[in-house]
């Protein structure tokens, strides 16, 4: 039944003017049937039928011209009641009542209420003069129905305004979420760029220093060796300058400039990170499997950031603040697994939202940028797991053989 009503409401919204025409025809037919069911009766039926046709027909344009519909249907109804010569034609009053509802619904609130109340009062006065009992039961019923029509129209207006405001707020909230997501992603990419600048800049600075030392120590060698070292020194300085200029475009005014002389953190700082989080109340089960082997700087930094972000998320969102950190070293890759061991019987909606957080997006970008694999989300046993696989050497760090001089 609910589905049928919803379908009918949807059809009325799609074909509003057709629905108004059907209402007008239904009111006109019901009025004629009830008023002229008996063959006998006085009055001018032709004028009455024309008045009923005009009063009901104007309802077909009630949404476009609500005030016109009320101004036409009310006098037409009174003309019909005066000319029909029947005591059973009160259904014609449905036309001005529907127009009253439309005025209260579509016209501005204060003018609509004032015009609606004035129309009800005028019609009641006209009926009282014709009946002629001012407080007759039929007149009181008409006044009550008029007030109900105005109240229903005003309620419809308020509901429509409320739904419009809710939809507008939802649209604004969605837009703000999208803008926040773009901002967070931009900030995360900026942090990645800074980390890359710090790591590569540190190595380039060492290259520059070592090449300078080598140039001073090889005074007894051939001129070709000195020239080659000079090229290394010059190229490293140019690369460092270009990298600094590129990253400076990503920095906003007032941001601190990260020093290249201090390397970015890596897994060698993992013990301090675990100790800090443990002191804050997070119970961490730390396991290392396989033979610990050094990683390339970019992979080492990314591994540290993944562990840091994952354990921080457990500390913030875990029910029991218990985590299991597993580092598995293979011959060519490192597998990182962080499990949130908070007690839950099944994955929750909070877990699903947590899998879409910006920190997860940042970790995924870091890992995929190095050619690794990344997954994060709730598991069937109720835990939340972050898993990353990083290649030990995401970049070809092997030195290129020097060109032979002819």
């Amino acid at each position: 039944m609910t589905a049928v009503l919803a379908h009918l409401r949807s059809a009325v919204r799609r074909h509003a003017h057709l629905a108004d025409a059907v209402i007008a025809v239904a009111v006109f037919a019901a009025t004629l049937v009830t008023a002229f069911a008996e063959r006998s009766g006085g009055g001018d039926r032709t004028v009455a039928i024309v008045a009923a046709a005009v009063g009901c027909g104007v309802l077909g344009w009630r949404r476009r011209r609500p005030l016109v519909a009320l101004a036409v249907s009310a006098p037409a109804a009174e003309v019909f009641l005066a000319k029909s010569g029947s005591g059973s034609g009160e259904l014609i009053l449905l036309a001005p009542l529907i127009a009253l509802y439309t005025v209260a619904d579509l016209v501005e609130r204060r003018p609509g209420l004032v015009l609606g109340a004035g129309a009800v009062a005028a019609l009641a006065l006209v009926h009282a003069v014709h009946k002629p009992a001012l407080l007759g039961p039929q007149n009181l019923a008409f006044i009550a129905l008029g007030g109900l029509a105005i109240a229903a129209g005003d309620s419809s207006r308020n509901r429509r305004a409320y739904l419009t405001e809710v939809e507008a707020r939802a649209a604004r909230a969605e837009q703000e979420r999208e803008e926040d997501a773009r901002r967070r992603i931009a900030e995360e990419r900026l942090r990645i760029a800074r980390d890359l600048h710090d790591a590569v800049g540190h190595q380039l600075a060492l290259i520059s220093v070592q090449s300078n030392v080598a140039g001073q120590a090889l005074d007894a060698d051939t001129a070709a060796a000195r020239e080659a070292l000079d090229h290394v020194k010059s190229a490293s300085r140019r690369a460092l300058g270009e990298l600094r200029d590129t990253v400076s475009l990503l920095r906003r005014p007032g941001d601190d400039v990260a020093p290249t002389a201090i390397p970015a953190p890596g897994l060698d700082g993992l013990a301090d990170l675990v100790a800090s989080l443990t002191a804050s109340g997070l119970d961490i089960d730390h396991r290392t499997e396989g033979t610990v082997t050094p990683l390339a700087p970019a992979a080492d930094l990314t591994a540290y950031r993944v562990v840091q972000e994952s354990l921080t998320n457990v500390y913030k969102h875990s029910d029991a603040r218990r985590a299991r950190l597993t580092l598995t070293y293979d011959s060519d890759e490192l597998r990182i697994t962080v499990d949130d061991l908070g007690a839950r019987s099944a994955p929750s909606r909070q877990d699903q939202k947590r899998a879409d957080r910006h920190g997860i997006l940042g970790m995924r970008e870091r890992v995929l940028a190095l050619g690794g694999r990344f997954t994060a989300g709730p598991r069937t046993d109720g835990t939340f797991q972050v898993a990353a696989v990083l290649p030990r050497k995401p970049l070809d760090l092997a030195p290129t053989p020097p060109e032979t001089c002819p």
Side-chain angles (χ1 to χ4, degrees):
M1 187 63 180
T2 304
V4 173
L5 292 177
H7 180 72
L8 289 177
R9 284 195 295 267
S10 177
V12 169
R13 285 194 295 268
R14 290 194 306 268
H15 309 286
H17 298 298
L18 179 60
D20 291 340
V22 172
I23 292 174
V25 171
V27 174
F28 178 71
T31 299
L32 295 185
V33 169
T34 55
F36 303 129
E38 299 178 359
R39 296 184 179 275
S40 61
D44 191 345
R45 290 195 173 187
T46 302
V47 175
I49 292 175
V50 172
V54 172
C56 296
V58 76
L59 295 181
W61 291 271
R62 66 185 181 94
R63 298 178 192 270
R64 298 178 182 177
R65 297 289 186 269
L67 293 178
V68 173
L70 178 61
V72 173
S73 62
E78 295 302 324
V79 171
F80 176 83
L81 291 176
K83 297 296 184 178
S84 63
S86 172
S88 304
E90 287 80 8
L91 284 182
I92 189 63
L93 295 177
L94 287 176
L97 289 176
I98 294 174
L100 279 173
Y101 169 87
T102 307
V103 168
D105 185 23
L106 300 181
V107 180
E108 293 185 5
R109 190 169 192 272
R110 186 182 297 274
L113 294 179
V114 171
L115 290 174
V120 171
L123 290 174
L125 181 60
V126 171
H127 293 169
V129 172
H130 284 287
K131 288 299 178 183
L134 182 62
L135 297 178
Q138 293 181 349
N139 213 19
L140 291 177
F142 174 78
I143 294 174
L145 290 175
L148 182 61
I150 295 174
D154 189 63
S155 176
S156 176
R157 169 205 301 281
N158 293 336
R159 182 177 180 274
R160 188 172 60 254
Y162 171 77
L163 293 178
T164 302
E165 179 63 22
V166 168
E167 292 174 355
R169 288 184 179 181
R172 288 195 299 267
E174 182 66 23
Q175 182 179 4
E176 291 173 358
R177 282 194 297 269
E178 293 177 355
E179 292 175 353
D180 183 66
R182 287 192 294 266
R183 179 179 61 82
R184 294 292 185 89
I185 292 175
E187 291 176 353
E188 184 63 26
R189 288 174 176 171
L190 179 57
R191 285 194 292 270
I192 294 173
R194 289 175 174 174
D195 292 339
L196 179 62
H197 172 265
D198 296 341
V200 177
H202 176 68
Q203 300 299 328
L204 291 176
L206 292 179
I207 292 174
S208 179
V209 171
Q210 294 300 325
S211 63
N212 188 31
V213 172
Q216 295 177 0
L218 295 177
D219 290 337
D221 290 346
T222 62
R226 182 182 296 277
E227 183 179 358
L229 289 175
D230 289 339
H231 284 310
V232 170
K233 180 178 179 180
S234 176
S236 63
R237 285 181 175 176
R238 285 198 305 271
L240 183 59
E242 291 174 357
L243 181 59
R244 184 184 297 110
D245 292 340
T246 302
V247 175
S248 66
L249 297 177
L250 298 175
R251 299 185 189 274
R252 291 174 295 186
D255 286 347
D256 295 332
V257 178
T260 58
I262 303 176
L267 291 180
D268 54 353
L270 186 59
D272 294 336
L273 174 64
V274 171
S276 174
L277 291 172
T278 301
S280 300
L282 180 62
D283 183 9
I284 303 175
D285 179 12
H286 183 193
R287 305 176 183 180
T288 301
E289 301 174 353
T291 303
V292 178
T293 53
L295 304 175
D300 192 34
L301 170 63
T302 300
Y304 179 85
R305 294 303 188 196
V306 168
V307 174
Q308 182 186 43
E309 182 70 24
S310 301
L311 292 178
T312 302
N313 284 342
V314 175
Y315 178 79
K316 290 180 179 179
H317 307 293
S318 175
D319 295 340
R321 289 191 175 180
R322 295 176 55 241
R324 180 172 58 242
L325 169 62
T326 305
L327 301 180
T328 304
Y329 288 87
D330 287 341
S331 58
D332 56 352
E333 64 184 15
L334 168 64
R335 294 196 300 272
I336 304 171
T337 305
V338 179
D339 294 300
D340 178 1
L341 303 179
R344 284 184 297 274
S345 58
S348 61
R349 293 181 61 186
Q350 181 180 3
D351 285 334
Q352 191 59 44
K353 292 181 180 179
R354 176 174 160 189
D356 298 330
R357 289 182 180 270
H358 305 298
I360 299 293
L361 296 178
M363 288 190 288
R364 180 178 287 108
E365 284 194 359
R366 287 176 179 267
V367 173
L368 297 183
L370 299 180
R373 302 186 299 276
F374 182 87
T375 58
R379 306 184 66 190
T380 56
D381 59 356
T383 61
F384 189 94
Q385 184 183 84
V386 174
V389 178
L390 290 170
R392 287 183 53 235
K393 291 186 178 181
L395 301 176
D396 186 6
L397 302 179
T400 57
E403 295 182 356
T404 58
C405 298

